[in-house]
Amino acid sequence: MFATNANAVDPAAISGCLYRYTYIWPRNGRPYWFYPTFVGRRSVAGYRWTGSFWVYAGVDVNQIREFQCV
């Protein structure tokens, strides 16, 4: 598991999870599975598991508390 600082996840750290199943713990809301396909300076985009199917989604790295890729 990657712990983050108080402000945001480092995009360089989460870029190691590109094209790998990743579990996201957001700052607000429930954790979810994510399959990142793009990492920018402030956001990550990819596919989020809804519990039934994958949907394309983006997330601001400031909204991620922790993550772990497998």
Side-chain angles (χ1 to χ4, degrees):
M1 181 180 312
F2 291 90
T4 61
N5 64 29
N7 297 322
V9 164
D10 178 16
I14 202 166
S15 67
C17 292
L18 276 173
Y19 306 106
R20 296 172 65 188
Y21 293 105
T22 304
Y23 203 67
I24 302 283
W25 285 271
R27 294 195 181 281
N28 297 311
R30 300 175 66 154
Y32 55 89
W33 282 104
F34 192 69
Y35 188 81
T37 58
F38 169 81
V39 176
R41 288 185 5 208
R42 296 184 179 175
S43 63
V44 182
Y47 296 90
R48 181 176 175 165
W49 181 248
T50 66
S52 301
F53 51 89
W54 293 95
V55 294
Y56 192 75
V59 62
D60 188 313
V61 292
N62 291 327
Q63 299 304 313
I64 299 173
R65 182 172 47 93
E66 296 177 37
F67 65 92
Q68 181 176 4
C69 45
V70 293

